[in-house]
Amino acid sequence: MRIQGVKTLLVLAALLALAACSTTPTGNTEVSATLAGVVEGTDANPTLLGKSLDLSGATVTVNGDDVQMSVRPGMVIRGQGVDQGSSIAVQSVDVQIEVKGPIDSVDVAASQLVVLGQTVAVDALTRIYEENPDDTYTSLVLGDLQAGDYVEVSGTRQADGSILATRIERKLVTSSDPEYGQVEVKGYATNLDTVAMTFDLGGYAVDYSAAYVEGTPAEGAFVEVKGTLSDTTIVASKVEFKTSDSGMDYDGEKAEIYGPLANLDTTAMTFEVAGFSVDYSNANVEGSLQEGAYVEVEGTPDASDPTLIHAYKVEVKYEDGGDGSCDGELKGTVESVDYDAKLLAVGGQTFWVDDMTIVKQDDPDAPLTFGDIQVGDWVEVKFDSTNTNADGYAYAAKIEVKGMDDGEGSDGDYYYELEGYAQNVDAEKMTFTLNGYTVVVDSATAYEVDDSYADATTFWAQISDGDKVEVKGAVDADGNFLASKIELDN
């Protein structure tokens, strides 16, 4: 299985403020670095700029507040550290959450959801997870989310004001929990009334009369709001008014930005990416620039405008972010590949692909081509079952070639994951089939039902054919999938 390459997904902005020189660090050279962008890698080995993040000595905040949180892949962060060449010793990091609260609506076909009135766009590169009681996460697709789910969204603002999500977490919070009413949201203030101390934000009214206020209230200002939800009104405890969501203040010599471009102007030779304006008139451009392309930009901040980057290199990494309207996910080994017909068989199911399908590897994150996929590769396929070809095969929006995941919360053994719908359930023998494997258990197998731990008797009394399950484990000598943990979601 191949594990190679560089970076993926949305916004990477890194400014290297060099202490005594202006060269790129190599070997054991250490330089102070201002960091921003989308965390990549794995939970066990988060990375940025293709370098491991050493967070052992880091102070972690969330939107500027002291909140206990682990830094995980897909999160947008800003911080400070020491670039040591192959790794970064992070000193401080601030996790950027764009909106946190209950989902208003989900539109799978349109690849979007609405949270607290904020439109959240999803593409094939968006990481969607469900929080588990043991601090692990189950991978989801957009079709798994429902109105009323309490979610936390990290991502970047687009030109139309929507959020392009890089990570969505469905939290272990229901409408009966106190945390359900605690919300956070960013956006643009409209209908500002400085006398009544109210404004509108994405279809919700904000009452900031009792809030701690930073900045000057202004119509159209970009705001960060924290407070309590009461029907369609947010009773704010804190409001910060800003002139823009410009990312971060650049005060060094170099900038690196990664994300989807917008507002491409081929005459002026400018575009926007991750809240920054990029002048590429003197840049070496690799690939074809187009709206929505994911690009890596290297350049220098403008002396008078820190949000303007004068690029000397622009490289297209992904021509687009792919299709986020997925309602299914399958993990398993590749059984066959038809490169000419663009068909892929995994776990007894065949999928069709096209040029829009995102093909990548997981650690380190890097784009691949369909021709790189080999029989026997362990992959995760996110698909749209409503988009079928003439033979009835579902469309694969993303194919990710996986390495082995380190077993979090266990003894460190390695495991693979299967996810799908159980068939041929035999509660007496404690077996079922999933994605072409016979799943077996032993005395060490752990069980979880609807986010709560269960014993074997309870689990096998509840599981039925067609139930959605996620299984972690490994293939044994007999070719069966020996489960170390099975999660049942009713």
Side-chain angles (χ1 to χ4, degrees):
M1 234 169 264
R2 300 172 303 280
I3 302 293
Q4 60 191 11
V6 273
K7 333 179 244 306
T8 186
L9 190 52
L10 208 53
V11 181
L12 269 187
L15 174 64
L16 303 180
L18 306 184
C21 62
S22 59
T23 58
T24 301
T26 58
N28 294 322
T29 302
E30 296 187 355
V31 295
S32 175
T34 300
L35 312 168
V38 179
V39 176
E40 301 171 299
T42 65
D43 285 352
N45 181 34
T47 62
L48 188 68
L49 305 173
K51 301 175 182 181
S52 297
L53 295 177
D54 178 3
L55 296 155
S56 59
T59 300
V60 180
T61 56
V62 180
N63 289 347
D65 293 336
D66 292 328
V67 177
Q68 186 174 0
M69 176 179 283
S70 298
V71 176
R72 299 183 184 276
M75 291 179 174
V76 176
I77 64 169
R78 298 168 186 164
Q80 298 290 326
V82 177
D83 192 324
Q84 300 173 323
S86 61
S87 64
I88 300 172
V90 181
Q91 298 163 330
S92 64
V93 61
D94 189 47
V95 178
Q96 300 293 300
I97 302 300
E98 294 298 315
V99 61
K100 181 178 181 179
I103 295 176
D104 297 329
S105 62
V106 180
D107 188 337
V108 177
S111 300
Q112 67 180 32
L113 61 153
V114 178
V115 184
L116 293 179
Q118 301 293 303
T119 299
V120 179
V122 173
D123 64 17
L125 295 173
T126 303
R127 298 172 186 256
I128 307 177
Y129 298 102
E130 178 175 48
E131 180 184 41
N132 296 320
D134 59 356
D135 198 34
T136 61
Y137 290 83
T138 299
S139 178
L140 303 176
V141 293
L142 181 58
D144 292 321
L145 301 179
Q146 303 177 43
D149 286 349
Y150 190 86
V151 296
E152 184 176 83
V153 180
S154 189
T156 61
R157 291 279 168 175
Q158 303 304 288
D160 61 1
S162 66
I163 304 165
L164 178 55
T166 56
R167 182 183 176 101
I168 300 174
E169 284 185 22
R170 183 164 70 185
K171 311 295 286 184
L172 288 174
V173 177
T174 66
S175 57
S176 61
D177 296 323
E179 187 181 350
Y180 190 86
Q182 302 299 313
V183 298
E184 300 180 24
V185 60
K186 300 178 182 180
Y188 297 91
T190 59
N191 299 320
L192 176 68
D193 186 333
T194 56
V195 177
M197 302 185 75
T198 61
F199 58 85
D200 292 338
L201 183 61
Y204 281 72
V206 178
D207 175 2
Y208 68 98
S209 59
Y212 172 73
V213 178
E214 294 183 5
T216 304
E219 178 72 17
F222 190 83
V223 294
E224 294 185 13
V225 178
K226 297 179 181 180
T228 303
L229 183 63
S230 176
D231 196 16
T232 58
T233 298
I234 300 173
V235 181
S237 58
K238 180 179 179 181
V239 177
E240 183 176 358
F241 290 88
K242 300 180 177 182
T243 56
S244 67
D245 182 33
S246 59
M248 59 184 296
D249 293 331
Y250 280 89
D251 56 4
E253 300 177 29
K254 184 179 180 182
E256 289 183 315
I257 304 176
Y258 179 65
L261 70 81
N263 296 323
L264 177 64
D265 187 332
T266 56
T267 301
M269 302 188 75
T270 60
F271 58 81
E272 296 178 3
V273 58
F276 298 92
S277 297
V278 177
D279 165 22
Y280 69 94
S281 58
N282 293 311
N284 175 31
V285 178
E286 299 180 15
S288 177
L289 296 179
Q290 57 187 9
E291 287 290 322
Y294 280 71
V295 295
E296 182 181 78
V297 178
E298 296 184 45
T300 55
D302 186 83
S304 59
D305 182 0
T307 67
L308 173 62
I309 306 300
H310 298 286
Y312 50 78
K313 180 180 180 181
V314 178
E315 181 178 355
V316 176
K317 291 295 185 182
Y318 293 97
E319 292 185 357
D320 57 72
D323 185 1
S325 60
C326 299
D327 59 3
E329 181 178 21
L330 181 65
K331 299 175 183 178
T333 54
V334 175
E335 297 165 346
S336 65
V337 187
D338 188 328
Y339 300 109
D340 295 328
K342 290 192 173 182
L343 298 176
L344 178 81
V346 179
Q349 297 188 47
T350 301
F351 304 94
W352 70 277
V353 306
D354 62 11
D355 292 339
M356 295 284 288
T357 299
I358 298 295
V359 184
K360 63 186 293 295
Q361 63 185 31
D362 72 330
D363 186 26
D365 292 290
L368 299 173
T369 68
F370 187 64
D372 291 323
I373 298 175
Q374 303 292 323
V375 171
D377 281 347
W378 193 271
V379 298
E380 174 187 275
V381 181
K382 294 194 174 183
F383 61 89
D384 180 359
S385 65
T386 68
N387 184 5
T388 57
N389 65 2
D391 295 315
Y393 300 144
Y395 173 67
K398 186 177 81 167
I399 304 168
E400 186 166 349
V401 179
K402 308 287 285 185
M404 288 189 294
D405 299 313
D406 194 359
E408 294 182 54
S410 67
D411 59 3
D413 289 339
Y414 289 99
Y415 60 71
Y416 289 119
E417 296 183 8
L418 296 176
E419 185 170 338
Y421 299 92
Q423 300 295 330
N424 303 314
V425 175
D426 189 329
E428 183 177 349
K429 294 182 178 179
M430 294 194 293
T431 65
F432 58 87
T433 58
L434 178 64
N435 302 347
Y437 288 94
T438 297
V439 177
V440 298
V441 301
D442 60 17
S443 60
T445 302
Y447 301 93
E448 190 175 297
V449 178
D450 292 336
D451 298 324
S452 297
Y453 285 111
D455 58 26
T457 301
T458 301
F459 176 86
W460 289 104
Q462 295 194 40
I463 187 172
S464 302
D465 283 3
D467 284 345
K468 184 174 183 181
V469 292
E470 178 170 321
V471 184
K472 298 177 181 179
V475 179
D476 64 17
D478 297 324
N480 297 322
F481 196 90
L482 177 58
S484 60
K485 182 179 180 181
I486 308 177
E487 299 176 25
L488 171 63
D489 185 0
N490 283 326

